[in-house]
């Protein structure tokens, strides 16, 4: 009989959907899979789904998260939807305030806005976006400017976000280093750590965030409290051997991606790199990947939440097989059973 203590991770679960485009898929097919997942998650007890801004990546179809969020919100009723995140150096704060303010007016109480300072692409993409490296240096000021637009307290004389003003869209700071932790703590905002691909500073960053957190006033008259979301990847199916093979294939695909700017690799060539520095880099990136049966993965997620001192986990799956990818979220659903 299953262990009843393994039916929950004891912390809220959310979903990170990278809108991955499978090897034999079109972008349209990929987005159809994402829509199916959103519809399922809407009734399965997941707290939120986030979509990340990535550019110039043929295997990821989430370059325009605001558009994805609008589509998914129209196909769901309850679940929160958001960007995990918008790479703010790529945009003006006013533009993002207007985009997410529009979403908040259309779907009140359901929109999140996670903010990161990375460009979300390579140097050529950064140039194509008409941005400069100095834009990232303005990130803290841009966050404050964006927050002010959403609160109808514009910092720019004569400029008001319409839509946006007064929507008070929930903001989250994303990060994989101590910088994001310090900024989130100073502003009294929730903090989401990218431990699903950059785990090195996880425990140090979370500890710093909690120790330096300064409550900020909220629109309802209260004050904010620290809230940590930690990213983790999972493959949860009953066939353990197949789950392990899926993890191996996911690592192989990651190796191929990391060297793609030099040359394209065959599967056989990528296999030969598992023991190389790039292979070890991928192992480290996926340090917290939880693979196994649903009960095993739920136990691993609970242990990871304790290790990360997280209030919430956001789960992604890099399983190449679409059936396994979807079944993972079914098997981990908070309302399952």
């Amino acid at each position: 009989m299953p262990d009843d203590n393994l039916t929950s991770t004891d912390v809220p679960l959310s979903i990170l959907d990278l809108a991955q485009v499978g090897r034999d898929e079109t972008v349209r097919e990929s987005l159809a899979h994402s829509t199916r997942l959103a519809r399922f998650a809407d009734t399965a007890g997941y707290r939120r789904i986030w979509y990340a801004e990535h550019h110039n990546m043929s295997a990821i179809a989430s370059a325009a998260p605001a558009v994805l969020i609008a589509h998914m919100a129209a196909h769901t009723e309850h679940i929160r939807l958001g960007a995990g995140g918008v790479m703010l150096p790529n945009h003006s704060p006013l533009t993002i305030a207007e985009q997410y303010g529009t979403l908040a007016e259309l779907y009140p109480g359901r929109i999140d806005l996670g903010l990161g300072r990375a460009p979300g692409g390579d140097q050529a993409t950064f140039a194509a976006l008409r941005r400069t490296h100095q834009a990232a240096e303005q990130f803290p000021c841009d966050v404050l400017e964006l927050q002010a637009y959403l609160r109808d307290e514009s910092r720019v004389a004569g400029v008001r976000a319409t839509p946006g003003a007064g929507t008070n869209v929930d903001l989250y700071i994303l990060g994989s280093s101590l910088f994001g932790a310090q900024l989130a703590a100073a502003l009294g905002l929730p903090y989401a750590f990218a431990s699903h691909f950059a785990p090195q500073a996880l425990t140090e960053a979370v500890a710093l965030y909690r120790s330096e957190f300064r409550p900020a006033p909220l629109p309802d008259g209260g004050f904010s409290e620290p809230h940590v979301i930690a990213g983790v990847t999972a493959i949860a199916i009953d066939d353990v051997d197949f789950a392990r093979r899926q993890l191996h294939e996911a690592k192989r695909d990651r190796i191929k991606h990391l060297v793609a700017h030099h040359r394209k690799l065959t599967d056989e060539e990528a296999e030969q790199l598992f023991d190389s520095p790039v292979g070890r880099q991928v192992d480290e990136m996926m340090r917290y990947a939880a693979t196994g049966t649903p009960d095993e993965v739920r136990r691993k997620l609970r242990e990871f939440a304790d290790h990360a001192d997280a209030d919430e986990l956001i789960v992604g799956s890099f399983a190449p097989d679409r059936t396994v990818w979807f079944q993972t979220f079914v098997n981990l659903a908070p309302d399952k059973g």
Side-chain angles (χ1 to χ4, degrees), residues 11-34:
V11 296
L13 287 185
S14 296
I15 293 174
L16 176 65
D17 182 2
L18 294 179
Q20 64 196 54
V21 182
R23 180 176 296 185
D24 299 318
E25 288 180 353
T26 65
V27 169
R28 179 177 295 180
E29 290 168 338
S30 165
L31 297 179
H33 286 298
S34 291

Side-chain angles (χ1 to χ4, degrees), residues 98-109:
E98 291 169 341
Q99 289 179 3
Y100 286 81
T102 300
L103 289 168
E105 295 287 8
L106 290 170
Y107 305 101

Side-chain angles (χ1 to χ4, degrees), residues 18-84:
L18 294 179
Q20 64 196 54
V21 182
R23 180 176 296 185
D24 299 318
E25 288 180 353
T26 65
V27 169
R28 179 177 295 180
E29 290 168 338
S30 165
L31 297 179
H33 286 298
S34 291
T35 305
R36 180 189 179 206
L37 177 61
R39 285 171 168 162
F40 167 76
D42 192 40
T43 60
Y46 286 100
R47 175 171 286 188
R48 68 185 94 241
I49 305 177
W50 280 359
Y51 305 92
E53 179 185 348
H54 291 283
H55 298 283
N56 195 30
M57 296 184 183
S58 60
I60 297 178
S62 56
V67 179
L68 274 181
I69 292 166
H71 174 78
M72 302 306 174
H75 286 80
T76 55
E77 295 182 6
H78 309 289
I79 195 165
R80 296 188 67 91
L81 297 157

Side-chain angles (χ1 to χ4, degrees), residues 5-335:
N5 291 327
L6 295 179
T7 58
S8 171
T9 60
D10 298 327
V11 296
L13 287 185
S14 296
I15 293 174
L16 176 65
D17 182 2
L18 294 179
Q20 64 196 54
V21 182
R23 180 176 296 185
D24 299 318
E25 288 180 353
T26 65
V27 169
R28 179 177 295 180
E29 290 168 338
S30 165
L31 297 179
H33 286 298
S34 291
T35 305
R36 180 189 179 206
L37 177 61
R39 285 171 168 162
F40 167 76
D42 192 40
T43 60
Y46 286 100
R47 175 171 286 188
R48 68 185 94 241
I49 305 177
W50 280 359
Y51 305 92
E53 179 185 348
H54 291 283
H55 298 283
N56 195 30
M57 296 184 183
S58 60
I60 297 178
S62 56
V67 179
L68 274 181
I69 292 166
H71 174 78
M72 302 306 174
H75 286 80
T76 55
E77 295 182 6
H78 309 289
I79 195 165
R80 296 188 67 91
L81 297 157
V86 162
M87 300 299 105
L88 197 52
N90 294 343
H91 314 275
S92 73
L94 177 61
T95 296
I96 299 304
E98 291 169 341
Q99 289 179 3
Y100 286 81
T102 300
L103 289 168
E105 295 287 8
L106 290 170
Y107 305 101
R110 296 182 58 199
I111 303 301
D112 299 331
L113 178 49
L115 302 169
R117 65 169 181 155
D122 57 22
Q123 295 301 316
T125 304
F126 203 47
L129 289 167
R130 303 296 192 269
R131 310 305 290 172
T132 67
H133 291 289
Q134 288 70 32
E137 298 174 5
Q138 297 297 315
F139 182 66
C141 294
D142 285 349
V143 171
L144 290 172
E145 183 179 332
L146 171 59
Q147 185 178 54
Y149 284 131
L150 295 171
R151 290 182 174 179
D152 201 9
E153 301 169 354
S154 178
R155 290 176 161 229
V156 182
V159 178
R160 185 171 186 263
T162 305
T167 56
N168 297 302
V169 175
D170 288 346
L171 300 183
Y172 299 75
I173 299 298
L174 278 59
S176 58
S177 68
L178 302 186
F179 176 87
Q182 290 174 313
L183 180 62
L187 299 182
L189 292 173
Y191 179 53
F193 191 89
S195 38
H196 60 291
F197 74 89
Q200 293 83 356
L202 170 62
T203 55
E204 185 180 2
V206 171
L208 179 66
Y209 167 72
R210 291 195 182 280
S211 67
E212 295 192 359
F213 184 87
R214 294 186 296 186
L218 297 174
D220 62 6
F223 287 86
S224 63
E225 296 181 355
H227 186 84
V228 172
I229 303 175
V232 62
T233 56
I235 299 175
I237 56 173
D238 291 324
D239 188 334
V240 176
D241 289 338
F242 190 43
R244 290 171 179 163
R245 291 197 298 273
Q246 284 286 286
L247 178 61
H248 183 84
E249 289 186 29
K251 289 183 176 181
R252 186 180 65 201
D253 289 345
R254 184 64 66 85
I255 289 173
K256 293 168 73 173
H257 170 72
L258 287 177
V259 300
H261 61 288
H262 296 301
R263 63 189 177 97
K264 290 186 177 181
L265 298 180
T266 65
D267 288 348
E268 292 74 18
E269 289 172 327
E271 289 284 346
Q272 295 174 9
L273 294 178
F274 267 85
D275 292 327
S276 72
V278 69
R280 291 189 289 274
Q281 179 184 354
V282 168
D283 274 336
E284 174 61 17
M285 291 171 70
M286 302 181 76
R287 182 197 306 178
Y288 295 123
T291 303
T293 67
D295 280 354
E296 289 173 338
V297 171
R298 281 191 287 268
R299 183 182 66 249
K300 291 175 182 178
L301 293 183
R302 185 169 63 245
E303 292 170 351
F304 172 69
D306 291 340
H307 170 73
D309 194 15
D311 301 294
E312 179 181 342
L313 298 183
I314 188 160
V315 182
S317 181
F318 295 116
D321 184 285
R322 274 300 185 182
T323 300
V324 175
W325 174 83
F326 187 78
Q327 195 62 40
T328 289
F329 296 111
V330 172
N331 288 336
L332 297 179
D335 289 351

